[in-house]
Each structure stands twice: as C-alpha cells, then as structure tokens.
C-alpha cells in the first residue's frame, strides 16, 4: 500500500503533522506503537505558559488543532504575567488528560484522508538518497512520497529511578530499538538526552489547608481564535502552591549519589530550564526553598501532579522527600517519579523546513529534534506536515521567520545553533517579542494558514472582519478630538483620566499610562468586541516600541532575502576565519540572516561572505 505521507509517532508533533498533511488532501498514514496512546500527555497536565502559550495560539492561527483541543479539555485557565507588559503575557491551561486524549483521537479518527496503523517502525526505505517508505518491526514495508518522524522519547528509551534502569517508553511501553541505529547508519549524528517526570499523589491523602490556592481567571479565555468557550468559569479546578524546605533539601543531599543522575547511571543530558529537584538543590544551593504546584490531572481519577518535583531518586528516597513537604506528610504516591533517556538527532542536520539535509523528503518534528514540551513539539509538527505536503506537491515550503513567530524562533534556533540539552522555548529567546504577542498571533499567521489551505473561507472571512474593525476603531480614535473645555474636564473628573490642557485626539489620550480604552466611553461610543478593543489599546499604547522593533525586523527581513546558493564552496572564500568556514560548511545556512546567527561567525566574516556573493553574481 502506498501513501503520500507517513507520520511516525502519535504524540503532539505527530498529531499536528498528520492532521495538517491530511487536511491538505494528502493520503496520510499515522503509524504508532499504541493507538490508545495517541495525544497522550505523559508528563505535566498543562498546555501553554510563557512563550509556549503563544506557540499554541500560532498553531491555531495556522489551522492546527492543539488550541481547539485544549479549549475542549480545560480544568483551569489563566493569563500569566498580567502585571507586566503584553510582550510576556501568555495563556496557560490545566487540561484533563483523559478528555484531551479522547478529543484529539476522535478528531484524528474522523479526519478525511487520514488512516491509523499500530506498529513499531524500525527502519526507513531509501532509494537514491530519497525516503520512499518505512519498515515495521514485523518487516512489513509501507511506501510513501514523504515520511515525518515524530518519535518522542521512544528512540532507545530507557527508564531510570536510582540504580534501576530498564528499556521502555513513558508508560512502560516497548521502546524503539533499531530506528536510532539505522538513522546513524544513514549519517545522522545521534545525541543522547534525558527528561523526567514527578510523582502522582493520591488527592485524598493531601492536606490542602497547608497550601496556597491558585485559581483560574474570572473571565473567559480561549487558546483558539474561534473564541468558543467549553467550560464553566465558576467551575474551574483549583491548583495549589507549596514549597520545599530545609528538611527536603537535607534528604536530597544525603541521598544524592543514589539518584540516577548523580550516581553515574545517566548518559543523556537533562533539560537546563526544567531540571530535576536534586539538580535544583545542587545548582541553586543558596536557595532555601523551591516552589512546587499541586495540579489535578483529570476529573476521571484523583491523581495530583507534583509540578517541580521531578527526580530520579530510588522509590524509598522519594517517599521521604514527598513526606517532608507541607501538606504531604501522609501522602500516598500512586506513581513514582522517574527519568527517561532517549536518542535524538543533531537538529543542525535539518533545513528550516524541517526536512533533513541528509535524506530528501524525510522530515522530523518534536523531541527527536532535541526539544522538550508538548507545545514545541506541536509547533514543529504542523510545520513538518505543511512542508512535507508542499514538497511532494512541488510548492514552496513555509519558512517562518524569527520576527513572525515563536515557531520561527524555535526552528531557527534548532537548525542554526543546535542543542546541548533539551531545548525549551523562552520569551527571552525572541529578540522581537513585542511583535510576537499572545493577542496578535492570528494577525501574524492567518494569511499563511489560508494561503496554504488550512484556514477555510468562513474562518478567513471572520479574520478579515476582525482586521477591518481594528483599523476602523484606530481611525475613529484618531479622528475624534477633544478640547480642554469646562464640560470636557468635568467629564474627566469622574474618570481615571487626568485633566487635559490642550486639544488632543482620543488616539493620543489612550497613550497615557493611566488611560484604558474603556475610559474613552465618556467621549464616544465603543461598541466593539473586547478582543478588538484590547488589540487596539496594545497597538496604540506601545506604538513607539512596536515601530522600533518593526524597523529592526525590517533589517532582518532584508538579510533573509539575501540568499546563499546551496552549492557554495566556503573553502574558496579567502580571508574568512577558519572557525566560521567550518561552521558555515557544517550548517549550510540558506540566507545571510541565518549565517549571521551562527556561533563563531563574526560580522567581519559576514562582510567577506557578502562581497564574495556579490562578486559571484556579477560574474554570472
């Protein structure tokens, strides 16, 4: 049997890749070792967070599924960093793990052009350096025009707790034994990484009176721009905040050499920005406590996820550690924490389309590329699904730029800089974060989604209407002028606005720090939806800062448009530094902008490269 596209793996990357490929009218196969685990959330019961929440909005703006599915599976939702500026605000939701998985599986099973198969993929079928299919562990051959690998933590997966070390996936499933070695034979540089997960605690055994309650927001929030709410705002589940203490830290220090990580049992490198609790205690020895969150996993069972307490300690030590925490003195551990090691490929062996440089029509997405997190995986998944479709249909691939999206930042960081530890997307990684806000992901990316074919006409028309209303309101605020008359200042006296001394427009008035857009109701009708008013307020208040970033982004755009030929021989370029030549040969950047971001390539090297390219172009 032959398909257009085969997606290997049913995690968050695989789901988005398969749905995108099928919705673009490609005959698609999603093959996974256990169909019941499709869209599983094996670690934290949440979607979103700083930067990550914006990625989910971007996936939705492109026509992906994660945002919609999260909205349908909420236990609690809140906007983070509301006391800070819009550049760092992002949504975070607690999800019901059972509902999330069920909803995504239903979507996949009902998707036209998409078939499911349960099997373990152990090899690729290659012809003339082009992938043409896959081989399963039963030696079954299935053919396709493109393959997308989204293998998660299953490539030679190894579960660790203390000195106990055994092969397996997150739920003890069979690991993928041979695919990693076969990728290595094809020329891929394989790296070993580690991640982990904390304990699950029996809810009835926790004394919540010793914890601080963390509630959801008291206004409706959604990830999807469809803005359809599926939850009762008054009925959100509560989370709780607690802290480690001196006793906890002493237990960890006393047993440090018994952990898999510090006992020498771990090969892989763990995540820098989501470390185990023993790693936190060692690395941040000056801190007296670390915050932990008690988070519900589902309405269908009573496990509480102990966020921030990931560890690879033996089980008996975990008992002591957990019982040292406030409110958990009598806690029952339903599932012990563990570390998991797995193989990934060096992402510098990828193009920005997520097609591999080594094998044509082979794409990769998710943890196989060295990332951590559901959201990073899903963001890569939709791009891989789109670009596999574009490639086999002889269309230009979608390359999102750093100034256009967090997904663009993520992919560019991976393929240009590579990774040493599992990559986590952070707000600070984006140099244009005021342009890449939670509120405007649709304004940035919906045109792409529609052009490619993932945003239907109904939704596109709704989007165009939104843009029209935003511009209409901005123009209205510019046109309406108010004078410092007695009548006007009397109106102002009863509002948050300070008195005006000169004639001014409502547009300029809203730039004042104390003025909110709804304060302007005393001067004009503001009969617009809340999201329209919020978007206008952000655009107007931060106009100067936004313009500054847009000018910088424009310069990067010009550098992105300066292409570097695929066949360039860097060894022929005189006076370029040897380190720069080595890095350029290895990464093979496609634009001057990408070349300038490579570590070890200096501005002087870029200048020499540009002179060389200009000279070569004039000789043609």
């Amino acid at each position: 049997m032959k398909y257009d596209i085969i997606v290997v793996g049913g995690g968050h990357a695989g789901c988005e890749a398969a749905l995108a490929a099928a919705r673009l009218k490609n005959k698609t196969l999603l093959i996974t070792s256990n169909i019941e685990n499709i869209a599983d959330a094996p670690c934290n019961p949440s979607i979103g967070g700083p930067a990550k929440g914006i990625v989910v909005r971007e996936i939705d703006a492109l026509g992906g599924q994660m945002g919609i599915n999260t909205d349908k599976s909420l236990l609690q939702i809140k906007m983070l960093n509301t006391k800070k500026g819009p550049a760092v605000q992002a949504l975070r939701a607690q999800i019901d793990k059972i509902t999330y998985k069920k909803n995504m599986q239903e979507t996949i099973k009902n998707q036209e052009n998409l078939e499911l198969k349960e099997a373990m993929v152990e090899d690729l079928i290659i012809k003339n350096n082009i992938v043409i299919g896959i081989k399963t562990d039963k030696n079954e051959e299935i053919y396709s025009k493109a393959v997308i690998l989204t293998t998660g933590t299953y490539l030679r997966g190894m579960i660790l707790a203390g000195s106990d070390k055994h092969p397996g996936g997150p739920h003890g499933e069979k690991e993928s034994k041979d695919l990693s070695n076969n990728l290595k034979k094809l020329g891929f540089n394989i790296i070993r990484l580690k991640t982990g997960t904390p304990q699950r605690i029996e809810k009835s055994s926790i004394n919540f009176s010793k914890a601080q309650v963390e509630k959801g927001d008291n206004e409706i929030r959604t990830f999807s721009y469809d803005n359809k709410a599926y939850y009762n705002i008054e009925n959100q589940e509560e989370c709780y905040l607690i802290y480690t203490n001196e006793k906890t830290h002493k237990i960890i220090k006393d047993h440090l050499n018994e952990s898999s990580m510090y006992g020498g049992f771990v090969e892989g490198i763990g995540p820098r920005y989501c470390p185990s609790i023993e790693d936190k205690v060692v690395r941040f020895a000056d801190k007296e406590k670390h915050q932990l969150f008690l988070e519900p996993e589902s309405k269908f069972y009573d496990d509480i996820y102990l966020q921030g307490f990931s560890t690879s300690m033996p089980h008996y030590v975990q008992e002591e550690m957990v019982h040292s925490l406030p409110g958990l003195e009598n806690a029952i551990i339903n599932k012990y924490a563990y570390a998991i090691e797995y193989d990934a490929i060096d992402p510098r062996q990828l193009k920005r389309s997520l097609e591999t440089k080594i094998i044509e029509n082979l794409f990769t997405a998710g943890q196989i590329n060295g990332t951590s997190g559901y959201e990073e995986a899903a963001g890569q998944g939709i791009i891989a699904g789109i670009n596999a479709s574009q490639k086999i249909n002889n269309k230009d691939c979608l390359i999102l730029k750093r100034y256009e999206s967090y997904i663009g930042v993520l992919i560019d960081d991976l393929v240009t800089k590579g990774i040493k530890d599992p990559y986590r997307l952070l707000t600070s990684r984006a140099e244009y974060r005021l342009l890449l806000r939670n509120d405007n992901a649709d304004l940035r990316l919906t045109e792409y989604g529609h052009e490619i074919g993932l945003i239907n006409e109904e939704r596109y028309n709704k989007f165009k209407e939104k843009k029209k209303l935003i511009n209409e309101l901005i123009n209205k605020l510019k046109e309406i002028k108010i004078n410092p008359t007695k009548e006007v200042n009397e109106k102002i006296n009863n509002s948050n606005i300070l008195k005006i001394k000169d004639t001014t427009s409502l547009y300029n008035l809203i730039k004042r720090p104390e003025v909110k857009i709804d304060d302007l109701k005393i001067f004009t009708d503001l009969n617009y939806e809340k999201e329209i008013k919020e978007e206008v307020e952000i655009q107007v208040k931060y106009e100067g800062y936004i313009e500054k970033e847009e000018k910088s982004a424009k310069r990067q755009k010009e550098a992105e448009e300066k292409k570097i030929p695929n066949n360039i021989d860097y060894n022929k370029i005189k006076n370029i530094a040897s380190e720069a030549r080595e890095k350029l040969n290895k990464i093979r950047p496609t634009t001057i902008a990408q070349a300038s971001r490579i570590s070890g390539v200096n501005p002087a090297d870029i200048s020499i490269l540009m002179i060389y390219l200009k000279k070569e172009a004039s000789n043609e």
Side-chain angles (χ1 to χ4, degrees):
M1 188 172 290
K2 184 161 185 176
Y3 295 87
D4 293 318
I5 296 172
I6 295 174
V7 178
V8 180
H12 301 282
C15 289
E16 293 294 346
L19 286 169
R23 288 168 177 172
L24 293 174
K25 298 180 171 51
N26 301 289
K27 187 178 180 183
T28 305
L29 175 68
L30 174 57
I31 184 166
T32 182
S33 61
N34 188 341
I35 287 176
E36 293 303 312
N37 283 342
I38 287 175
D40 184 42
C43 196
N44 55 302
S46 65
I47 298 290
K52 292 167 173 274
I54 300 174
V55 169
V56 181
R57 299 276 272 175
E58 291 176 353
I59 292 166
D60 185 75
L62 288 169
Q65 194 66 27
M66 179 175 261
I68 295 170
N69 202 49
T70 301
D71 290 341
K72 288 180 177 180
S73 314
L74 289 181
L75 292 176
Q76 184 201 96
I77 189 168
K78 62 171 64 175
M79 183 71 76
L80 304 180
N81 299 322
T82 54
K83 294 181 180 179
K84 299 180 182 179
V88 294
Q89 292 177 10
L91 286 171
R92 185 178 189 272
Q94 298 299 140
I95 57 166
D96 188 310
K97 286 189 171 185
I98 299 297
T99 305
Y100 187 94
K101 185 163 69 170
K102 178 185 174 187
N103 288 339
M104 188 65 88
Q105 287 180 8
E106 285 181 2
T107 300
I108 286 170
K109 287 174 183 176
N110 292 327
Q111 177 60 51
E112 189 179 358
N113 300 319
L114 181 55
E115 295 180 26
L116 292 174
K117 182 177 178 63
E118 193 169 272
M120 182 70 76
V121 174
E122 294 293 4
D123 204 358
L124 301 172
I125 305 171
I126 310 293
K127 185 177 181 181
N128 299 326
N129 228 43
I130 301 171
V131 68
I132 59 170
I134 54 98
K135 288 182 182 177
T136 72
D137 53 350
K138 298 174 183 176
N139 214 30
E140 182 181 10
E141 295 186 352
I142 307 173
Y143 293 88
S144 64
K145 298 175 185 175
V147 172
I148 306 173
L149 297 179
T150 68
T151 49
T153 60
Y154 285 85
L155 290 183
R156 293 201 308 123
M158 190 72 67
I159 304 294
L160 303 101
S163 60
D164 180 59
K165 187 173 183 179
H166 61 272
H171 298 296
E173 313 95 322
K174 181 182 175 184
E175 84 285 11
S176 174
K177 291 181 180 178
D178 298 324
L179 183 56
S180 180
N181 289 331
N182 288 326
L183 289 172
K184 191 172 183 179
K185 289 175 185 176
L186 291 170
F188 287 97
N189 181 23
I190 302 299
I191 52 182
R192 192 76 171 157
L193 299 175
K194 178 194 81 75
T195 188
T197 192
Q199 303 82 3
R200 274 60 161 184
I201 310 298
E202 178 68 40
K203 184 177 182 180
S204 61
S205 69
I206 299 173
N207 180 0
F208 290 103
S209 67
K210 294 187 177 183
Q212 176 184 319
V213 178
E214 296 284 321
K215 296 179 179 290
D217 285 351
N218 59 4
E219 62 177 284
I220 292 292
R221 309 273 193 195
T222 63
F223 274 100
S224 176
Y225 284 96
D226 280 345
N227 296 324
K228 185 175 180 181
Y230 296 87
Y231 71 105
N232 183 340
I233 197 171
E234 304 295 334
N235 196 31
Q236 297 181 73
E237 294 287 316
E238 293 177 338
C239 296
Y240 297 85
L241 171 64
I242 60 172
Y243 292 90
T244 61
N245 52 53
E246 187 179 342
K247 184 179 179 181
T248 314
H249 294 194
K250 186 177 186 307
I251 293 167
I252 291 169
K253 290 173 183 176
D254 288 347
H255 296 277
L256 199 59
N257 289 335
E258 294 181 61
S259 80
S260 300
M261 185 174 181
Y262 286 91
F265 302 104
V266 171
E267 296 174 47
I269 300 172
R272 174 182 295 269
Y273 298 103
C274 189
S276 64
I277 189 63
E278 57 263 41
D279 208 15
K280 289 179 190 175
V281 169
V282 171
R283 284 167 52 188
F284 309 106
D286 58 317
K287 291 193 176 292
E288 296 179 356
K289 60 183 181 180
H290 296 282
Q291 66 178 16
L292 308 172
F293 290 93
L294 302 171
E295 300 173 342
E297 288 205 318
S298 175
K299 289 182 178 180
F300 297 95
Y301 58 88
D302 289 331
D303 280 10
I304 296 295
Y305 182 88
L306 189 49
Q307 176 77 265
F309 215 59
S310 169
T311 182
S312 60
M313 287 287 193
H315 293 179
Y316 86 95
V317 179
Q318 291 188 42
E319 292 274 356
E320 289 185 49
M321 290 164 59
V322 169
H323 292 154
S324 73
L325 300 172
L328 277 72
E329 294 86 354
N330 300 306
I332 297 170
I333 301 175
N334 288 341
K335 184 178 180 181
Y336 289 94
Y338 61 86
I340 184 167
E341 280 188 330
Y342 57 96
D343 284 348
I345 65 169
D346 184 342
R348 291 175 297 182
Q349 294 178 293
L350 300 173
K351 301 175 184 177
R352 288 198 287 176
S353 63
L354 295 182
E355 183 184 18
T356 70
K357 296 174 182 176
I358 294 174
I359 303 297
E360 190 174 350
N361 292 355
L362 176 64
F363 294 76
T364 58
Q367 284 174 289
I368 190 175
N369 290 343
T371 59
S372 66
Y374 308 149
E375 304 84 358
E376 288 94 334
Q380 292 170 74
I382 191 170
I383 296 299
I386 288 169
N387 285 336
S389 175
Q390 296 289 96
K391 179 75 188 293
I392 65 173
N393 289 294
N394 298 313
K395 297 179 181 179
D396 291 338
C397 286
L398 175 64
I399 309 297
L400 294 178
K401 313 300 189 302
R402 296 183 71 89
Y403 53 82
E404 291 180 314
S405 69
Y406 270 99
I407 296 175
V409 172
L410 161 68
I411 293 173
D412 185 67
D413 278 353
L414 290 175
V415 305
T416 304
K417 301 174 183 177
I419 56 116
K420 292 182 179 178
D421 48 70
Y423 180 99
R424 181 178 182 180
L425 199 53
L426 305 167
T427 309
S428 59
R429 294 192 190 272
E431 58 270 52
Y432 304 107
R433 54 185 172 272
L434 190 53
L435 303 182
L436 311 181
R437 305 185 306 274
N438 175 81
D439 60 276
N440 71 350
D442 59 337
L443 301 178
R444 292 184 276 118
L445 299 178
T446 301
E447 292 285 356
Y448 287 132
H450 178 255
E451 183 181 338
I452 287 163
L454 289 177
I455 299 290
N456 61 31
E457 289 304 316
E458 180 183 354
R459 181 166 172 185
Y460 186 58
N461 288 334
K462 181 182 174 184
F463 163 73
K464 288 194 295 184
E465 179 65 16
K466 177 181 175 179
K467 284 182 68 176
K468 175 188 165 189
L469 291 173
I470 289 169
N471 291 329
E472 180 184 288
L473 180 52
I474 287 175
N475 289 331
K476 183 177 183 178
L477 296 178
K478 286 180 177 178
E479 290 167 2
I480 298 175
K481 307 281 197 303
I482 54 174
N483 299 307
T485 62
K486 181 180 178 182
E487 181 185 359
V488 166
N489 280 321
E490 280 178 359
K491 284 184 179 181
I492 287 174
N493 277 337
N494 299 319
S495 70
N496 297 320
I497 306 171
L498 298 176
K499 285 186 177 181
I500 62 168
K501 296 179 180 179
D502 301 297
T503 299
T504 186
S505 67
L506 297 186
Y507 185 88
N508 285 329
L509 196 61
I510 202 175
K511 290 185 177 182
R512 292 186 179 185
E514 80 276 9
V515 179
K516 303 295 182 186
I517 193 164
D518 281 333
D519 294 334
L520 304 183
K521 288 178 181 177
I522 60 176
F523 301 116
T524 187
D525 170 41
L526 289 174
N527 189 24
Y528 292 85
E529 294 288 337
K530 184 180 178 183
E531 70 168 338
I532 302 295
K533 291 188 288 185
E534 286 180 345
E535 180 62 35
V536 169
E537 183 170 352
I538 290 170
Q539 287 190 23
V540 176
K541 274 192 181 298
Y542 295 90
E543 181 182 38
Y545 299 102
I546 291 170
E547 284 181 355
K548 186 177 179 181
E549 284 203 1
E550 283 176 340
K551 285 179 182 177
S552 178
K554 184 180 178 182
R555 289 193 293 271
Q556 190 182 94
K557 183 180 180 182
E558 290 169 355
E560 290 284 2
E561 289 170 353
K562 294 173 182 174
K563 305 294 183 185
I564 300 175
N566 291 331
N567 61 349
I568 187 171
D569 185 353
Y570 291 103
N571 295 318
K572 290 183 177 180
I573 306 177
K574 296 178 180 179
N575 300 321
I576 202 167
S578 58
E579 182 185 1
R581 182 177 285 109
E582 180 186 337
K583 295 285 183 67
L584 290 166
N585 272 319
K586 186 172 185 177
I587 295 169
R588 311 294 300 177
T590 56
T591 68
I592 289 294
Q594 187 186 3
S596 68
R597 292 190 291 271
I598 298 172
S599 174
V601 178
N602 297 315
D605 301 312
I606 295 297
S607 296
I608 294 168
L609 174 59
M610 289 177 68
I611 292 168
Y612 176 83
L613 291 174
K614 190 174 181 179
K615 184 179 178 182
E616 288 294 299
S618 64
N619 291 335
E620 289 179 358

